Amino acid sequence: MTEPNDENEMHEVSRLRFDCPHCGSFMKVRTSKTHLPEYRELYLHCTNEFKCGYRCKAALSVSETLAPSYCPNPDVDIKPSPWLMRRLGLEAQGQIRLGEFLPPKKESQQ
Ligand SMILES: [Zn+2]
């Protein structure tokens, strides 16, 4: 049995609720592997161990950005959601201000 290196990481992953497709019991994340910053493989075990015992591999991937990071990783390129694109378009037209959604601009000399 392989355990994650970071106990907190396992705790965070375990909060994800996933039910067994066969018996409906809670599925427990036993291990997870990450190959890319926006993609993770999860190994799930059914907690109804003796009556069901189902085990599977699942994938979790980040699909869209809803709010940009204040400290973006240059190696990560995740497409903005249509909602964010509309907000960015409105901001570009000066119709709204997106201050709380975007990284703070570097201080300019005024
Ligand atoms: Zn099950």
Side-chain angles (χ1 to χ4, degrees), residues 20 22-25 27 46-48 52-54:
C20 175
H22 294 286
C23 74
S25 298
M27 299 283 291
C46 178
T47 54
N48 188 4
C52 178
Y54 185 65

Side-chain angles (χ1 to χ4, degrees), residues 21 69 79 85 87 90:
S69 171
K79 70 176 180 173
M85 289 300 288
R87 303 284 295 186
L90 290 173

Side-chain angles (χ1 to χ4, degrees), residues 11-12 18 21 25-26 35 42 46 49 58 80 86 89 102 105:
H11 183 70
E12 290 294 322
F18 199 93
S25 298
F26 177 69
H35 306 289
L42 307 171
C46 178
E49 191 175 345
R86 282 193 299 276
L102 297 174
K105 291 178 181 162

Side-chain angles (χ1 to χ4, degrees), residues 43-67:
Y43 291 81
L44 306 171
H45 291 196
C46 178
T47 54
N48 188 4
E49 191 175 345
F50 298 110
K51 291 185 179 176
C52 178
Y54 185 65
R55 296 178 182 191
C56 61
K57 185 167 94 173
L60 181 67
S61 65
V62 177
S63 58
E64 290 181 342
T65 296
L66 299 177

Side-chain angles (χ1 to χ4, degrees), residues 17-37:
R17 176 75 192 196
F18 199 93
D19 294 333
C20 175
H22 294 286
C23 74
S25 298
F26 177 69
M27 299 283 291
K28 190 171 186 179
V29 178
R30 296 305 304 168
T31 55
S32 67
K33 292 180 184 174
T34 184
H35 306 289
L36 298 167

